[in-house]
Amino acid sequence: MRRALIAATLLSLGLVAPAAAQQCGGSFPAFVEGLKAEAVAQGIPRDTVDGFFRAVRQDQAVLQRDRGQGFFTRPFIEFSRQLISQNRLDRGQQMARQHSALFERARRDYGVSPAIMLSFLAFETDYGSFQGDFNTANALVTLAHDCRRPELFRPQVLAMVELYRRGMIDPATTVGAWAGEIGMVQMLPGDILRLGVDGDGDGRVDLRGSLADSVLSGAALLRHHGWRPNEPWLHEVRIPQGLDLTRTGIRTEMTVADWQRMGVAPRHGSLPSGNMPASVILPQGHRGPAFMVFPNFRVLFDWNQSFTYVVTAAYFATRLEGAPIYDAGNPEQGLEREQMRDLQQRLQARGLNTGGVTGILGANTRAAVQDIQAQLGLPADGWPTPELLRRL
């Protein structure tokens, strides 16, 4: 899934199910009846509820996609090269020119750079050209019934029922991503209810057909999660020989001036104000690309929790603003997914938190790798290698 929304954020809408109703699994028809009863209890008319759930069915293809997600296991260099093409850059820059007034409005009203919004438009739906082909109601009900993350998806079902009550969507025809996101920038129903913006002034929020609604709603979402106006998010840097690698990674923040005193320098252009908090991240270790990231970079994880995706989207936005292609360096070989699972099991056996045995190099696993590398006297850059696995 692209973005994780905590159920508590829907509390103000009255759309968070009470703890007793957060059951999952069991008979699918019985589960749907429970959802219907809950929606009625929250004040939605019975005929509206019946209309929403009339054609809802379980979608096994959604569960297969949820269990897979192998796309996000690819290392940054491979992942970014697959997503970023000259054609995608050209189209983004053309769209920025063609709709300059709209993107400047997003900057003025929400402080969000046009490049960031174009980056998400590009990666989420290829600038709106493919918004997904999963029935959204089926996807959300299927994932709510599944017992992996019912606390996330059950409130989204109820939010979509409310969208239907307001005449904003048709559950029979609304399609989107497999995890329930809708429209050009792929927002969940709860986000649309809270933060959707009628950007074109036609009296409704249409994230599937209106670029203005999509761009301004996406910008509102980022601002809501703490986007800081007129501040950068990522800048490519060079790190010096002998840098204390234990200080790299998203866990550690120092000021830009502190990093510069340690020898970290911009690869192009200049870094922002010396007092700005920043981290230095090494997506594929100390021999690969290096970036300095700022508070706005962290906000992007509220859109998508994949580290590799967020770094790629943030970097692509800088390319849209004219930054050069990153220096790929010569990173050490990484691990295949089964090797990563093996590593995570071994790290957990040593009492380190990897966030589960998923085969995905997420933030928790990176931190655990960095800690064990420091213990073993290896370069503590958070990049797991076959040598690290052998040592364990």
Side-chain angles (χ1 to χ4, degrees), residues 128-372:
S129 64
F130 181 71
Q131 300 178 27
D133 53 8
F134 286 85
N135 178 277
T136 303
N138 291 343
L140 288 173
V141 175
T142 296
L143 291 166
H145 175 261
D146 186 45
C147 287
R148 283 224 308 153
R149 290 163 293 169
E151 74 288 348
L152 168 63
F153 289 106
R154 191 179 185 107
Q156 296 300 334
V157 175
L158 299 172
M160 191 174 180
V161 176
E162 176 63 16
L163 289 176
Y164 174 58
R165 185 189 71 80
R166 297 184 189 186
M168 296 171 67
I169 57 96
D170 178 353
T173 60
T174 298
V175 295
W178 64 264
E181 298 97 340
I182 300 168
M184 298 183 191
V185 291
Q186 300 283 271
M187 289 175 64
L188 287 166
D191 291 335
I192 299 171
L193 277 177
R194 291 180 306 143
L195 300 166
V197 177
D198 175 16
D200 56 19
D202 67 353
R204 64 195 185 105
V205 177
D206 176 14
L207 300 190
R208 299 172 67 197
S210 170
L211 179 65
D213 292 5
S214 297
V215 168
L216 297 180
S217 296
L221 176 65
L222 289 173
R223 186 78 174 110
H224 171 79
H225 283 298
W227 186 269
R228 294 161 58 153
N230 306 312
E231 290 190 7
W233 51 92
L234 174 147
H235 197 106
E236 188 182 3
V237 294
R238 296 190 186 279
I239 61 172
Q241 290 286 339
L243 178 70
D244 180 359
L245 294 174
T246 64
R247 298 196 181 193
T248 64
I250 203 71
R251 289 186 296 178
T252 302
E253 273 191 328
M254 300 191 299
T255 67
V256 171
D258 288 336
W259 286 112
Q260 289 176 313
R261 280 191 286 270
M262 295 175 67
V264 176
R267 182 169 171 255
H268 59 88
S270 59
L271 296 173
S273 166
N275 293 324
M276 183 175 290
S279 301
V280 169
I281 60 171
L282 308 172
Q284 287 188 229
H286 65 289
R287 292 170 53 181
F291 301 98
M292 186 176 289
V293 297
F294 312 102
N296 278 340
F297 176 81
R298 297 173 183 272
V299 175
L300 302 180
F301 285 97
D302 287 302
W303 200 299
N304 188 300
Q305 293 194 337
S306 164
F307 179 86
T308 302
Y309 181 99
V310 166
V311 177
T312 303
Y315 161 71
F316 180 66
T318 68
R319 290 290 310 279
L320 288 169
E321 291 190 335
I325 298 173
Y326 60 74
D327 180 2
N330 185 30
E332 294 181 72
Q333 180 184 344
L335 301 180
E336 300 295 331
R337 190 164 189 177
E338 285 308 310
Q339 291 176 307
M340 189 70 72
R341 290 179 189 276
D342 185 8
L343 176 71
Q344 289 170 328
Q345 290 173 336
R346 292 172 186 274
L347 291 171
Q348 288 192 161
R350 290 175 175 249
L352 295 167
N353 175 25
T354 66
V357 180
T358 62
I360 297 174
L361 180 59
N364 287 327
T365 298
R366 285 181 181 272
V369 166
Q370 191 172 37
D371 289 343
I372 200 67

Side-chain angles (χ1 to χ4, degrees), residues 24-48:
C24 60
S27 162
F28 187 76
F31 176 77
V32 171
E33 287 302 314
L35 285 172
K36 292 166 69 173
E38 190 174 329
V40 170
Q42 292 180 356
I44 299 177
R46 182 76 202 196
D47 59 342
T48 300

Side-chain angles (χ1 to χ4, degrees), residues 20-161:
Q22 289 287 2
Q23 72 275 12
C24 60
S27 162
F28 187 76
F31 176 77
V32 171
E33 287 302 314
L35 285 172
K36 292 166 69 173
E38 190 174 329
V40 170
Q42 292 180 356
I44 299 177
R46 182 76 202 196
D47 59 342
T48 300
V49 173
D50 287 341
F52 179 88
F53 286 101
R54 183 169 292 119
V56 164
R57 63 176 180 80
Q58 196 170 19
D59 189 343
Q60 291 298 323
V62 168
L63 297 178
Q64 290 169 6
R65 290 291 294 273
D66 186 42
R67 298 297 190 267
Q69 302 195 58
F71 187 58
F72 294 106
T73 66
R74 300 173 187 179
F76 167 71
I77 293 174
E78 178 185 345
F79 186 87
S80 62
R81 286 174 175 170
Q82 182 163 355
L83 263 65
I84 298 172
S85 65
Q86 189 60 50
N87 177 263
R88 187 164 267 176
L89 280 164
D90 292 343
R91 288 176 63 196
Q93 290 165 346
Q94 179 184 12
M95 182 174 279
R97 292 189 297 269
Q98 183 179 355
H99 301 282
S100 58
L102 170 61
F103 287 106
E104 284 305 317
R105 183 180 168 191
R107 189 202 300 272
R108 182 188 71 240
D109 292 354
Y110 302 103
V112 179
S113 161
I116 284 291
M117 292 314 307
L118 285 160
S119 182
F120 281 113
L121 280 166
F123 288 179
E124 295 290 349
T125 62
D126 202 17
Y127 300 110
S129 64
F130 181 71
Q131 300 178 27
D133 53 8
F134 286 85
N135 178 277
T136 303
N138 291 343
L140 288 173
V141 175
T142 296
L143 291 166
H145 175 261
D146 186 45
C147 287
R148 283 224 308 153
R149 290 163 293 169
E151 74 288 348
L152 168 63
F153 289 106
R154 191 179 185 107
Q156 296 300 334
V157 175
L158 299 172
M160 191 174 180
V161 176

